[in-house]
Amino acid sequence: MYGKWNINHNICGQRYIPKITIFYKFVLLFCIISIFGILVSSFCSGNNYQEDFEDDDFTVGFHSDDDKSHKNNDKIAQEMSQDIRVLCWIMTGPTNHKKKAQHVKATWGKRCNVLLFMSSINDTNLPSVALSVGEGRNNLWAKTKEAFKYVYKNYINDVDWFMKADDDTYVIVENLRLMLSSYNSSEPLYFGSRLKPFVKQGYMSGGAGYVLSKEALRRFIEDSLPDKDKCRQDNGGDEDVEMGKCLNNVEVKAVDTRDGYGRGRFFPMIPEHHIIPKLKKLEKNTWYWKMAYHETKDGLDCCSDYAISFHYVPPNMMYVLEYLIYHLRPYGITN
Ligand SMILES: *[C@@H]1O[C@H](CO)[C@@H](O)[C@H](O)[C@H]1NC(C)=O
Ligand SMILES: *[C@@H]1O[C@H](CO)[C@@H](O)[C@H](O)[C@H]1NC(C)=O
Protein backbone atom coordinates (compact mmCIF):
# COMPACT_ATOMS: atom_id res chain seq x y z
CA MET A 1 0.00 0.00 0.00
CA TYR A 2 2.59 2.52 1.17
CA GLY A 3 4.95 1.90 -1.74
CA LYS A 4 2.16 2.44 -4.21
CA TRP A 5 1.26 5.90 -2.86
CA ASN A 6 4.91 6.98 -2.44
CA ILE A 7 5.97 6.79 -6.07
CA ASN A 8 4.44 9.86 -7.72
CA HIS A 9 3.90 12.25 -4.87
CA ASN A 10 7.33 13.76 -4.67
CA ILE A 11 6.31 17.38 -5.43
CA CYS A 12 8.97 20.07 -6.13
CA GLY A 13 11.74 17.78 -5.01
CA GLN A 14 10.34 17.65 -1.50
CA ARG A 15 9.17 14.49 0.05
CA TYR A 16 5.48 15.29 0.49
CA ILE A 17 4.48 11.75 1.25
CA PRO A 18 3.99 11.80 4.99
CA LYS A 19 1.36 14.60 4.78
CA ILE A 20 -0.59 12.84 2.06
CA THR A 21 -0.49 9.62 4.02
CA ILE A 22 -1.87 11.30 7.09
CA PHE A 23 -4.55 12.97 4.97
CA TYR A 24 -5.54 9.62 3.45
CA LYS A 25 -5.53 8.02 6.85
CA PHE A 26 -8.11 10.56 7.95
CA VAL A 27 -10.15 9.99 4.81
CA LEU A 28 -10.01 6.26 5.38
CA LEU A 29 -10.98 6.63 9.03
CA PHE A 30 -13.86 8.91 8.05
CA CYS A 31 -15.07 6.36 5.48
CA ILE A 32 -14.91 3.51 7.97
CA ILE A 33 -16.85 5.48 10.56
CA SER A 34 -19.48 6.47 7.98
CA ILE A 35 -19.91 2.93 6.70
CA PHE A 36 -20.15 1.62 10.24
CA GLY A 37 -22.78 4.23 11.02
CA ILE A 38 -24.82 3.32 7.96
CA LEU A 39 -24.58 -0.38 8.78
CA VAL A 40 -25.66 0.15 12.39
CA SER A 41 -28.61 2.33 11.48
CA SER A 42 -29.85 -0.01 8.76
CA PHE A 43 -29.41 -3.00 11.04
CA CYS A 44 -31.45 -1.32 13.77
CA SER A 45 -34.31 -0.25 11.52
CA GLY A 46 -34.26 -3.59 9.69
CA ASN A 47 -34.57 -5.28 13.04
CA ASN A 48 -37.78 -3.51 13.87
CA TYR A 49 -40.04 -4.96 11.27
CA GLN A 50 -43.13 -3.65 12.98
CA GLU A 51 -42.22 -0.21 11.63
CA ASP A 52 -40.96 -1.34 8.25
CA PHE A 53 -44.37 -1.77 6.71
CA GLU A 54 -46.37 0.48 8.93
CA ASP A 55 -47.30 3.06 6.32
CA ASP A 56 -47.50 0.67 3.43
CA ASP A 57 -50.69 -0.01 1.62
CA PHE A 58 -49.54 -3.22 -0.02
CA THR A 59 -51.17 -6.37 -1.37
CA VAL A 60 -49.84 -9.92 -1.27
CA GLY A 61 -50.69 -12.60 -3.82
CA PHE A 62 -52.15 -15.93 -2.69
CA HIS A 63 -52.22 -19.38 -4.28
CA SER A 64 -55.27 -20.03 -6.43
CA ASP A 65 -58.20 -21.83 -4.76
CA ASP A 66 -57.85 -24.53 -7.41
CA ASP A 67 -54.21 -25.16 -6.56
CA LYS A 68 -53.79 -28.94 -6.59
CA SER A 69 -51.94 -29.03 -3.29
CA HIS A 70 -54.81 -27.35 -1.43
CA LYS A 71 -58.03 -28.30 -3.21
CA ASN A 72 -60.49 -30.06 -0.86
CA ASN A 73 -57.97 -30.12 1.97
CA ASP A 74 -60.29 -27.97 4.06
CA LYS A 75 -63.40 -30.17 3.87
CA ILE A 76 -63.71 -30.63 7.64
CA ALA A 77 -63.09 -26.94 8.29
CA GLN A 78 -65.77 -26.02 5.73
CA GLU A 79 -68.29 -28.31 7.39
CA MET A 80 -67.47 -26.92 10.81
CA SER A 81 -67.99 -23.38 9.58
CA GLN A 82 -71.62 -24.26 8.76
CA ASP A 83 -72.29 -25.62 12.25
CA ILE A 84 -70.24 -23.25 14.39
CA ARG A 85 -71.01 -19.77 13.12
CA VAL A 86 -68.65 -17.07 14.31
CA LEU A 87 -68.98 -13.32 13.90
CA CYS A 88 -65.69 -11.44 14.22
CA TRP A 89 -65.67 -7.73 14.81
CA ILE A 90 -62.43 -5.81 14.57
CA MET A 91 -61.70 -2.71 16.61
CA THR A 92 -60.13 -0.22 14.21
CA GLY A 93 -60.11 3.47 13.29
CA PRO A 94 -59.81 5.68 10.19
CA THR A 95 -55.99 5.91 10.29
CA ASN A 96 -55.70 2.11 10.43
CA HIS A 97 -58.13 1.09 7.68
CA LYS A 98 -55.42 0.80 5.02
CA LYS A 99 -52.47 0.25 7.32
CA LYS A 100 -53.88 -2.64 9.33
CA ALA A 101 -57.57 -3.52 8.84
CA GLN A 102 -57.27 -4.41 5.15
CA HIS A 103 -54.59 -6.98 6.04
CA VAL A 104 -56.90 -8.63 8.57
CA LYS A 105 -59.50 -8.82 5.82
CA ALA A 106 -56.98 -10.31 3.36
CA THR A 107 -55.76 -12.94 5.82
CA TRP A 108 -57.57 -14.54 8.78
CA GLY A 109 -60.68 -12.32 8.72
CA LYS A 110 -62.05 -14.03 5.62
CA ARG A 111 -62.54 -17.26 7.61
CA CYS A 112 -65.13 -15.75 9.99
CA ASN A 113 -68.79 -16.29 9.03
CA VAL A 114 -69.34 -12.54 9.45
CA LEU A 115 -66.51 -9.99 9.50
CA LEU A 116 -67.15 -6.41 10.66
CA PHE A 117 -64.79 -3.50 11.10
CA MET A 118 -65.84 -1.06 13.82
CA SER A 119 -64.67 2.49 13.18
CA SER A 120 -65.99 6.02 13.44
CA ILE A 121 -66.38 6.43 9.69
CA ASN A 122 -68.13 4.39 7.01
CA ASP A 123 -65.41 3.33 4.57
CA THR A 124 -67.13 1.46 1.75
CA ASN A 125 -63.83 -0.12 0.62
CA LEU A 126 -63.33 -2.08 3.79
CA PRO A 127 -66.31 -1.77 4.56
CA SER A 128 -66.42 -0.36 8.08
CA VAL A 129 -69.29 0.50 10.39
CA ALA A 130 -69.46 4.16 11.48
CA LEU A 131 -70.21 4.09 15.20
CA SER A 132 -71.04 7.45 16.73
CA VAL A 133 -68.10 7.59 19.12
CA GLY A 134 -64.83 9.54 19.19
CA GLU A 135 -61.50 7.94 18.34
CA GLY A 136 -58.55 7.28 20.63
CA ARG A 137 -57.76 5.22 23.71
CA ASN A 138 -60.15 7.16 25.92
CA ASN A 139 -63.09 6.05 23.83
CA LEU A 140 -62.33 2.33 23.56
CA TRP A 141 -64.87 1.32 26.15
CA ALA A 142 -67.56 3.48 24.51
CA LYS A 143 -66.66 1.96 21.15
CA THR A 144 -66.82 -1.59 22.51
CA LYS A 145 -70.29 -0.99 23.94
CA GLU A 146 -71.56 0.56 20.68
CA ALA A 147 -70.01 -2.24 18.63
CA PHE A 148 -71.69 -4.98 20.67
CA LYS A 149 -75.03 -3.09 20.53
CA TYR A 150 -74.72 -2.91 16.73
CA VAL A 151 -73.86 -6.60 16.51
CA TYR A 152 -76.71 -7.59 18.83
CA LYS A 153 -79.24 -5.54 16.91
CA ASN A 154 -78.21 -6.81 13.47
CA TYR A 155 -76.73 -10.30 13.89
CA ILE A 156 -77.99 -11.98 17.07
CA ASN A 157 -80.02 -14.55 15.09
CA ASP A 158 -77.43 -15.14 12.37
CA VAL A 159 -74.52 -16.59 14.32
CA ASP A 160 -73.74 -18.46 17.58
CA TRP A 161 -70.51 -16.84 18.77
CA PHE A 162 -69.22 -13.27 18.81
CA MET A 163 -65.53 -12.48 18.81
CA LYS A 164 -63.95 -9.09 19.42
CA ALA A 165 -60.36 -8.67 18.15
CA ASP A 166 -57.97 -5.80 17.40
CA ASP A 167 -56.56 -4.92 14.00
CA ASP A 168 -53.22 -6.39 15.16
CA THR A 169 -54.67 -9.66 16.46
CA TYR A 170 -54.14 -12.82 14.36
CA VAL A 171 -56.73 -15.58 14.79
CA ILE A 172 -56.68 -19.21 13.63
CA VAL A 173 -60.42 -19.37 13.13
CA GLU A 174 -60.56 -23.16 12.57
CA ASN A 175 -59.04 -23.73 16.02
CA LEU A 176 -61.52 -21.30 17.53
CA ARG A 177 -64.35 -23.39 16.05
CA LEU A 178 -62.71 -26.58 17.33
CA MET A 179 -62.68 -25.24 20.90
CA LEU A 180 -66.21 -23.85 20.63
CA SER A 181 -67.53 -27.17 19.30
CA SER A 182 -67.43 -28.50 22.89
CA TYR A 183 -69.71 -25.74 24.18
CA ASN A 184 -73.34 -24.69 23.95
CA SER A 185 -73.90 -21.10 22.78
CA SER A 186 -77.19 -20.94 24.71
CA GLU A 187 -75.16 -20.95 27.90
CA PRO A 188 -73.58 -17.73 29.24
CA LEU A 189 -69.88 -18.24 28.35
CA TYR A 190 -66.89 -16.03 27.72
CA PHE A 191 -63.48 -17.16 26.32
CA GLY A 192 -60.03 -15.60 25.89
CA SER A 193 -56.63 -15.04 27.51
CA ARG A 194 -57.63 -14.95 31.16
CA LEU A 195 -56.06 -12.41 33.52
CA LYS A 196 -56.29 -12.35 37.32
CA PRO A 197 -56.79 -8.81 38.66
CA PHE A 198 -59.82 -6.49 39.03
CA VAL A 199 -62.58 -9.08 38.55
CA LYS A 200 -63.33 -12.02 40.83
CA GLN A 201 -63.36 -14.70 38.13
CA GLY A 202 -60.71 -12.82 36.11
CA TYR A 203 -61.23 -11.14 32.77
CA MET A 204 -60.07 -11.71 29.20
CA SER A 205 -57.26 -9.63 27.67
CA GLY A 206 -58.60 -7.33 24.96
CA GLY A 207 -55.64 -7.65 22.60
CA ALA A 208 -55.70 -11.46 22.40
CA GLY A 209 -59.38 -11.21 21.44
CA TYR A 210 -62.31 -12.60 23.41
CA VAL A 211 -65.44 -14.54 22.50
CA LEU A 212 -68.99 -14.31 23.85
CA SER A 213 -71.66 -16.95 23.42
CA LYS A 214 -75.02 -15.82 22.11
CA GLU A 215 -76.45 -15.98 25.65
CA ALA A 216 -73.47 -14.02 27.04
CA LEU A 217 -74.08 -11.27 24.49
CA ARG A 218 -77.82 -11.23 25.30
CA ARG A 219 -77.11 -10.83 29.01
CA PHE A 220 -74.52 -8.12 28.37
CA ILE A 221 -76.87 -6.03 26.23
CA GLU A 222 -80.19 -6.72 27.95
CA ASP A 223 -79.30 -7.12 31.62
CA SER A 224 -75.89 -5.60 32.29
CA LEU A 225 -75.42 -2.53 30.07
CA PRO A 226 -78.56 -0.66 31.09
CA ASP A 227 -77.80 -1.09 34.84
CA LYS A 228 -75.31 1.36 36.34
CA ASP A 229 -74.65 -1.01 39.24
CA LYS A 230 -73.56 -3.76 36.86
CA CYS A 231 -71.77 -1.92 34.09
CA ARG A 232 -69.75 1.29 33.78
CA GLN A 233 -71.86 3.90 31.99
CA ASP A 234 -69.28 6.51 30.91
CA ASN A 235 -66.63 6.23 28.17
CA GLY A 236 -63.59 5.80 30.41
CA GLY A 237 -61.84 2.71 31.76
CA ASP A 238 -60.06 -0.19 30.14
CA GLU A 239 -62.29 -1.84 27.62
CA ASP A 240 -61.35 -5.40 28.59
CA VAL A 241 -61.53 -4.87 32.37
CA GLU A 242 -64.94 -3.14 32.14
CA MET A 243 -66.22 -5.91 29.89
CA GLY A 244 -65.05 -8.46 32.45
CA LYS A 245 -66.92 -6.69 35.24
CA CYS A 246 -70.15 -6.32 33.24
CA LEU A 247 -70.12 -10.02 32.33
CA ASN A 248 -69.17 -11.16 35.83
CA ASN A 249 -72.13 -9.20 37.20
CA VAL A 250 -74.63 -11.15 35.11
CA GLU A 251 -73.09 -14.57 35.79
CA VAL A 252 -71.38 -15.05 32.46
CA LYS A 253 -68.73 -17.68 33.08
CA ALA A 254 -65.05 -17.00 32.25
CA VAL A 255 -63.99 -20.31 30.70
CA ASP A 256 -60.55 -21.90 31.18
CA THR A 257 -59.34 -22.01 27.57
CA ARG A 258 -56.20 -24.13 28.10
CA ASP A 259 -56.01 -27.41 26.23
CA GLY A 260 -55.72 -30.90 27.74
CA TYR A 261 -51.97 -30.43 28.32
CA GLY A 262 -52.48 -27.15 30.17
CA ARG A 263 -51.18 -25.14 27.22
CA GLY A 264 -52.79 -21.82 26.40
CA ARG A 265 -54.78 -21.00 23.28
CA PHE A 266 -55.25 -17.21 23.39
CA PHE A 267 -52.12 -15.04 23.63
CA PRO A 268 -51.67 -11.32 24.30
CA MET A 269 -48.29 -11.23 22.52
CA ILE A 270 -46.55 -12.58 19.41
CA PRO A 271 -45.52 -16.29 19.47
CA GLU A 272 -41.83 -15.42 19.96
CA HIS A 273 -42.47 -13.76 23.31
CA HIS A 274 -44.41 -16.72 24.65
CA ILE A 275 -41.97 -19.35 23.41
CA ILE A 276 -38.62 -17.86 24.45
CA PRO A 277 -38.48 -17.48 28.25
CA LYS A 278 -35.86 -14.73 28.45
CA LEU A 279 -38.04 -12.44 26.36
CA LYS A 280 -40.60 -12.36 29.13
CA LYS A 281 -38.12 -10.28 31.14
CA LEU A 282 -38.47 -7.43 28.64
CA GLU A 283 -40.07 -4.63 30.56
CA LYS A 284 -43.05 -4.27 28.25
CA ASN A 285 -43.80 -7.99 28.62
CA THR A 286 -43.61 -8.56 32.37
CA TRP A 287 -47.24 -7.53 32.99
CA TYR A 288 -48.57 -10.66 31.32
CA TRP A 289 -46.63 -13.11 33.53
CA LYS A 290 -47.73 -11.19 36.61
CA MET A 291 -51.35 -11.03 35.57
CA ALA A 292 -51.99 -14.38 33.87
CA TYR A 293 -54.74 -16.29 35.67
CA HIS A 294 -53.11 -19.67 35.15
CA GLU A 295 -49.47 -20.51 35.55
CA THR A 296 -47.75 -20.56 32.16
CA LYS A 297 -44.93 -22.74 30.89
CA ASP A 298 -41.88 -21.70 28.90
CA GLY A 299 -40.73 -23.03 25.57
CA LEU A 300 -43.06 -24.81 23.19
CA ASP A 301 -45.07 -25.95 26.21
CA CYS A 302 -46.44 -22.40 26.35
CA CYS A 303 -48.74 -22.91 23.48
CA SER A 304 -51.32 -25.40 22.30
CA ASP A 305 -50.90 -27.05 18.92
CA TYR A 306 -54.44 -25.77 18.45
CA ALA A 307 -53.69 -22.20 19.50
CA ILE A 308 -56.32 -19.62 18.59
CA SER A 309 -54.90 -16.10 18.76
CA PHE A 310 -51.81 -13.90 19.04
CA HIS A 311 -51.56 -10.15 19.57
CA TYR A 312 -49.21 -7.37 18.34
CA VAL A 313 -48.95 -9.06 14.96
CA PRO A 314 -47.94 -6.47 12.34
CA PRO A 315 -49.44 -6.79 8.82
CA ASN A 316 -46.36 -8.36 7.25
CA MET A 317 -46.22 -11.03 9.97
CA MET A 318 -49.89 -11.86 9.22
CA TYR A 319 -48.89 -12.98 5.73
CA VAL A 320 -45.95 -14.95 7.10
CA LEU A 321 -48.29 -16.72 9.55
CA GLU A 322 -50.71 -17.46 6.69
CA TYR A 323 -47.85 -19.16 4.85
CA LEU A 324 -46.54 -21.07 7.87
CA ILE A 325 -49.97 -22.22 9.09
CA TYR A 326 -51.88 -22.87 5.88
CA HIS A 327 -49.19 -23.68 3.32
CA LEU A 328 -45.79 -24.84 4.51
CA ARG A 329 -45.80 -28.61 5.13
CA PRO A 330 -43.01 -30.89 6.30
CA TYR A 331 -43.17 -33.76 3.79
CA GLY A 332 -43.78 -37.20 5.27
CA ILE A 333 -45.27 -35.97 8.53
CA THR A 334 -49.02 -36.13 8.98
CA ASN A 335 -51.31 -35.71 11.95
C1 LIG B 1 -72.11 2.93 4.42
O1 LIG B 1 -72.56 3.87 3.47
C2 LIG B 1 -73.22 3.28 2.37
C3 LIG B 1 -73.48 4.35 1.32
O2 LIG B 1 -73.89 5.55 1.90
C4 LIG B 1 -74.49 2.60 2.88
O3 LIG B 1 -75.19 2.01 1.81
C5 LIG B 1 -74.08 1.53 3.87
O4 LIG B 1 -75.23 0.93 4.44
C6 LIG B 1 -73.22 2.10 4.98
N1 LIG B 1 -72.69 0.98 5.73
C7 LIG B 1 -72.61 0.94 7.05
C8 LIG B 1 -72.05 -0.32 7.60
O5 LIG B 1 -72.94 1.87 7.77
C1 LIG C 1 -77.91 -25.91 25.39
O1 LIG C 1 -78.21 -25.16 26.55
C2 LIG C 1 -79.60 -24.85 26.66
C3 LIG C 1 -79.75 -23.90 27.83
O2 LIG C 1 -79.10 -24.36 28.96
C4 LIG C 1 -80.38 -26.15 26.82
O3 LIG C 1 -81.78 -25.86 26.90
C5 LIG C 1 -80.12 -27.01 25.61
O4 LIG C 1 -80.75 -28.26 25.77
C6 LIG C 1 -78.62 -27.22 25.44
N1 LIG C 1 -78.39 -27.92 24.19
C7 LIG C 1 -77.66 -29.00 24.12
C8 LIG C 1 -77.46 -29.58 22.77
O5 LIG C 1 -77.13 -29.51 25.09
Side-chain angles (χ1 to χ4, degrees), residues 75 77 100 131 133 150 163 202 247 267 319-320 331:
K75 241 184 173 155
K100 293 188 173 168
L131 300 172
V133 290
Y150 179 91
M163 177 168 204
L247 294 174
F267 297 98
Y319 294 96
V320 173
Y331 181 75

Side-chain angles (χ1 to χ4, degrees), residues 34-78:
S34 311
I35 291 169
F36 184 71
I38 290 166
L39 283 178
V40 166
S41 69
S42 70
F43 174 76
C44 291
S45 62
N47 229 4
N48 190 348
Y49 56 16
Q50 181 132 10
E51 272 165 22
D52 255 5
F53 284 91
E54 209 149 68
D55 294 320
D56 283 4
D57 171 17
F58 65 99
T59 54
V60 172
F62 282 85
H63 297 173
S64 137
D65 287 341
D66 288 333
D67 204 298
K68 247 198 212 142
S69 56
H70 297 298
K71 208 174 160 89
N72 297 327
N73 274 359
D74 60 350
K75 241 184 173 155
I76 297 169
Q78 291 294 348

Side-chain angles (χ1 to χ4, degrees), residues 183-188 215:
Y183 297 93
N184 179 344
S185 65
S186 304
E187 284 167 9
E215 174 61 11

Side-chain angles (χ1 to χ4, degrees), residues 275-293:
I275 291 167
I276 300 165
K278 70 176 182 193
L279 289 175
K280 76 186 185 191
K281 298 199 186 92
L282 294 179
E283 202 174 330
K284 64 177 181 171
N285 288 353
T286 53
W287 68 267
Y288 171 65
W289 282 272
K290 285 181 197 143
M291 286 166 73
Y293 193 92

Side-chain angles (χ1 to χ4, degrees), residues 195-225:
L195 305 173
K196 230 171 351 199
F198 312 124
V199 186
K200 195 159 176 254
Q201 65 169 348
Y203 71 98
M204 304 304 181
S205 145
Y210 53 77
V211 184
L212 273 61
S213 67
K214 187 186 279 210
E215 174 61 11
L217 179 59
R218 193 199 64 74
R219 289 190 187 195
F220 175 59
I221 299 293
E222 300 278 342
D223 305 337
S224 199
L225 256 190

